[in-house]
């Protein structure tokens, strides 16, 4: 059994509650107790304070937090500072030129040898309120998903743990802020202290790509130093089992435009004679990947780090969800030669994001258009670099007979070259994957496994992309992702929600991590 070490707070020991003194006397003879005991103590405190927890969550959710809305982002930051200050966490705002505020807080522990940084972002995605079943900035509670006919229920105790709160950022990503605060409250109430130094970093621009994160980390390097960054974002596994993700894929993107005649031509008069940009573009795209998702670009995989034996073994232990996903998405087949989804996202990907050229339906015309465009996204894996992939893709375009330009092709250029492609890149960043055998992460995994009854899912990498590499690159700290939201939380979309059981579990998870590491 994994033992949790903790300290009894001296101020807590006073002869005012016989039951509590009995609890303290039982554990004071030793400096360890088990995960179940801490979880039960925290759960009991949470159950007695559920109304206060929900009221706090509602108050935070009522603050609009679209990342580009600087005025309301400031209001969110001020709320969080006040919220954490009441818990003695010494919060302050961190800024660099042009950035929204990041909220930093800390909870030092005398004698602690390790420091954990907990990351959460408080900004959110824009909303199209007309598509929501309720006002996204006025949280309500329902007994089920909107799509399942969920009806509104009173936001007062007693709460059914399957009920859900609906509001923007309920699932992505304000819940951890509330859960962290109440985990610390619960530990205080039952006389337990963390065994690690705790630091907290709440970012206000994650949903627009964290453009100032590198500068923020560099400017406050000493303050933000930690032995491990615990990234609290994203959904749990569809089985509702707890999940620890060791990394994310990187991201890059580019658009390509190919050219035909300088003006639209009647397809009857010029078809089979004038080159058709749509046909050229589809042939070019087919040269890059096939229907199984295999990337056909020479040199694309040169830098790929193969998964370790530990990572492959972890995937085999994850309950298979492919069949259920296929049924949910009405898919008769999947790409990847039948491999499971967790293995598929360990490979790099090339995704055709969109096509533009001509029209369809009522907008179609019998013409040969002058140009056609495709937008393409790349998902990177360790140790791929954007620079190498750019070179490989440009070489591939030239190998297909294309003259590559970095600006719209002029008539003169189009007249001189049989095939011309305008290529433009939209940035990018690398992937990150923390080793499975990192000692501190291994300790965290063991704690979560004991709490969940050996149900923890250890995912080598999440399919999405986050700029986690900056933390490792600037600060040299490992990063692991501990998601707490329900998998069906509709993040970024309409009717975003958080299942109450996920919030209750998060409070226990943070308390166990803080006292057990």
């Amino acid at each position: 059994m994994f033992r949790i070490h903790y300290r009894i707070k001296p101020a807590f020991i006073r002869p005012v509650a016989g039951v509590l003194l009995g609890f303290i006397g039982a554990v004071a003879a030793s400096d360890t107790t088990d995960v179940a005991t801490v979880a039960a103590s925290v759960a009991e405190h949470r159950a007695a304070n559920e109304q206060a927890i929900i009221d706090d969550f509602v108050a935070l959710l009522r603050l609009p937090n679209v990342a580009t809305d600087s005025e309301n982002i400031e209001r969110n930051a001020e709320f969080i500072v006040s919220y954490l200050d009441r818990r003695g966490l010494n919060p302050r705002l961190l800024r660099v030129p042009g950035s929204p505020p990041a909220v930093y807080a800390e909870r030092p522990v005398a004698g602690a040898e390790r420091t954990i940084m907990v990351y959460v972002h408080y900004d959110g995605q824009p909303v199209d309120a007309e598509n929501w079943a309720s006002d996204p900035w006025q949280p309500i509670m329902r007994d089920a998903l909107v799509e399942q006919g969920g009806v509104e229920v009173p936001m007062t105790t007693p709460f059914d743990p399957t009920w859900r709160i609906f509001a923007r950022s309920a699932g992505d990503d304000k819940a951890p802020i509330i859960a962290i605060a109440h985990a610390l409250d619960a530990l205080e109430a039952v006389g337990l202290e963390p065994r690690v130094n705790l630091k907290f970093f709440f970012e206000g621009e994650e949903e627009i790509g964290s453009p100032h994160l590198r500068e923020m980390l560099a400017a406050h390097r000493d303050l933000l130093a930690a032995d491990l960054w615990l990234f609290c974002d994203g959904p749990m596994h569809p089985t509702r089992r707890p999940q620890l993700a060791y990394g994310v894929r990187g991201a890059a993107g580019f658009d390509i435009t190919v050219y035909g005649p300088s003006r639209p031509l009647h397809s009857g008069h010029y078809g089979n004679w004038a080159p058709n940009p749509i046909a050229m573009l589809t042939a070019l795209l087919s040269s890059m990947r096939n229907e199984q998702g295999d990337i056909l670009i020479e040199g694309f995989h040169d830098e790929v780090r193969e998964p370790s034996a530990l990572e492959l073994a972890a995937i085999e232990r994850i309950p298979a969800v492919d069949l259920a996903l296929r049924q949910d998405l009405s898919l008769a087949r999947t790409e990847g030669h039948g491999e499971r989804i967790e293995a598929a996202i360990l490979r790099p990907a090339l995704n055709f994001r969109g096509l533009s050229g001509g029209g369809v339906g009522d907008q179609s015309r019998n013409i040969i258009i002058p140009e056609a465009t495709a937008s393409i996204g790349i998902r990177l894996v360790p140790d791929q670099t954007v620079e190498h992939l750019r070179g490989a893709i440009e070489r591939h375009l030239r190998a297909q007979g294309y003259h590559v330009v970095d600006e719209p092709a002029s008539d003169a250029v189009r007249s001189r070259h049989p095939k011309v492609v305008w290529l433009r890149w939209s940035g990018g960043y690398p992937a990150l994957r923390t080793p499975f055998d990192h000692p501190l992460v291994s300790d965290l995994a063991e704690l979560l496994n004991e709490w969940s009854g050996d149900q923890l899912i250890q995912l080598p990498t999440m399919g999405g992309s986050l700029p986690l590499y900056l933390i490792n690159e600037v600060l040299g700290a490992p990063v692991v992702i501990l998601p707490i939201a329900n998998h069906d939380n509709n993040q970024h979309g309409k009717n975003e929600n958080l299942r109450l059981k996920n919030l209750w579990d998060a409070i226990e998870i943070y308390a166990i991590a803080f006292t057990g590491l």
Side-chain angles (χ1 to χ4, degrees), residues 66-313:
V66 177
T68 55
D69 181 356
S70 58
E71 181 178 347
N72 275 313
I73 286 293
E74 294 282 347
R75 292 177 61 208
N76 277 266
E78 292 167 2
F79 179 100
I80 296 169
V81 166
S82 175
Y83 192 61
L84 300 179
D85 188 52
R86 296 198 298 270
R87 290 165 170 83
L89 298 179
N90 190 28
R92 71 201 81 168
L93 298 181
L94 304 182
R95 300 179 189 267
V96 294
S99 77
V103 180
Y104 171 81
E106 59 191 10
R107 173 72 158 77
V109 175
E113 298 178 356
R114 288 167 158 177
T115 298
I116 305 298
M117 174 69 78
V118 182
Y119 169 100
V120 184
H121 71 86
Y122 65 86
D123 63 313
Q125 285 280 326
V127 298
D128 185 353
E130 292 182 358
N131 291 328
W132 284 60
S134 57
D135 187 335
W137 307 120
Q138 292 298 323
I140 69 167
M141 194 172 288
R142 291 190 176 92
D143 61 1
L145 288 169
V146 172
E147 297 80 1
Q148 297 174 349
V151 297
E152 186 173 357
V153 293
M155 214 174 305
T156 54
T157 54
F159 297 111
D160 186 313
T162 65
W163 291 353
R164 298 164 185 251
I165 290 183
F166 289 78
R168 174 54 91 222
S169 293
D172 182 24
D173 187 36
K174 287 183 173 180
I177 300 171
I178 303 301
I180 288 165
H182 283 278
L184 293 172
D185 287 353
L187 292 176
E188 177 86 13
V190 299
L192 301 178
E193 271 198 338
R195 289 280 294 181
V196 288
N197 296 313
L198 295 173
K199 295 182 177 181
F200 305 97
F201 183 83
F202 302 121
E203 190 187 6
E205 56 177 1
E206 190 274 340
E207 296 291 6
I208 54 174
S210 302
H212 295 92
L213 183 57
R214 178 188 289 276
E215 190 178 357
M216 184 78 73
L217 296 175
H220 304 284
R221 187 187 307 270
D222 293 340
L223 191 66
L224 301 179
D227 296 297
L228 175 70
W229 275 60
L230 196 58
F231 210 87
C232 300
D233 193 6
M236 295 174 68
H237 195 262
T239 59
R240 301 202 190 282
R241 290 168 58 171
Q243 180 168 271
L244 199 59
Y246 289 70
V248 291
R249 293 196 283 188
F254 63 97
D255 288 2
I256 52 175
T257 298
V258 299
Y259 298 91
S262 59
R263 64 177 185 272
L265 298 177
H266 190 289
S267 61
H269 298 314
Y270 295 96
N272 300 341
W273 182 83
N276 187 311
I278 296 176
M280 296 166 62
L281 182 61
T282 55
L284 185 55
L285 295 176
S286 294
S287 74
M288 295 182 179
R289 80 187 291 274
N290 62 23
E291 289 187 351
Q292 288 294 337
D294 300 322
I295 300 171
L296 309 176
I297 299 168
E298 185 175 351
F300 194 95
H301 298 86
D302 286 353
E303 299 177 312
V304 170
R305 184 204 308 169
E306 294 300 322
S308 70
L310 287 174
E311 291 166 342
L312 294 175

Side-chain angles (χ1 to χ4, degrees), residues 408-469:
S410 66
D411 287 346
V413 169
R414 292 162 69 170
S415 297
R416 287 198 305 269
H417 301 278
K419 295 197 289 187
V420 178
V421 58
W422 172 26
L423 170 65
R424 57 267 194 205
W425 289 89
S426 54
Y429 51 82
L432 176 75
R433 199 157 70 224
T434 296
F436 261 54
D437 55 359
H438 185 282
L440 194 49
V441 180
S442 296
D443 287 351
L444 177 60
E446 192 171 349
L447 282 168
L448 295 175
N449 238 340
E450 182 160 347
W451 172 78
S452 64
D454 202 28
Q455 294 293 300
L456 176 68
I457 288 174
Q458 294 174 268
L459 188 66
T461 187
M462 296 181 73
S465 298
L466 294 166
L468 302 190
Y469 77 99

